[in-house]
Amino acid sequence: MLLALIQIIGYLIGIVTTVVIVQFVLSLLIAFNVVNLSNNFVASIWQALNMILDPFLKPIRRIMPDTGMIDFSPIVLIIGLRIIQMLLGGLYNDLYMSGPL
């Protein structure tokens, strides 16, 4: 049961990481005027991505110093999620190698 929970958390971390990357790419496309927020489809995707990621990014943005135009909070979030994923992977291996619980 615990092994399954660790796997589920790992999958969720992978999904959040993918959403962060999608938001970053979309922000670049918006910044370079490849896509426009006046398009309802693009605006709704942008709003949905921000609603999903804001609970994760706001605490990081409060801690980090203001760097002007560049927002490093998505990078910090991905690094933090990767560290958690590695720790969970180690825990998974330890529990898996110890045999059935």
Side-chain angles (χ1 to χ4, degrees):
M1 180 73 168
L2 185 61
L3 296 177
L5 182 63
I6 291 172
Q7 283 182 324
I8 290 170
I9 293 171
Y11 288 132
L12 291 175
I13 288 173
I15 290 170
V16 172
T17 302
T18 304
V19 171
V20 170
I21 293 170
V22 168
Q23 184 198 34
F24 173 73
V25 170
L26 185 59
S27 71
L28 287 177
L29 292 175
I30 291 169
F32 289 111
N33 208 20
V34 175
V35 295
N36 197 338
L37 286 176
S38 63
N39 183 337
N40 288 335
F41 180 72
V42 174
S44 62
I45 290 176
W46 180 249
Q47 184 179 11
L49 289 174
N50 285 326
M51 288 177 65
I52 291 169
L53 292 177
D54 272 349
F56 299 107
L57 293 175
K58 278 187 180 179
I60 297 170
R61 288 179 180 141
R62 276 190 294 241
I63 295 170
M64 291 185 59
D66 186 22
T67 56
M69 293 288 293
I70 301 173
D71 183 16
F72 289 109
S73 59
I75 297 169
V76 173
L77 178 61
I78 289 175
I79 291 170
L81 289 173
R82 183 66 182 134
I83 290 171
I84 292 170
Q85 199 170 28
M86 289 167 52
L87 291 172
L88 286 175
L91 179 63
Y92 179 85
N93 286 337
D94 290 346
L95 290 174
Y96 184 75
M97 295 306 253
S98 69
L101 296 177

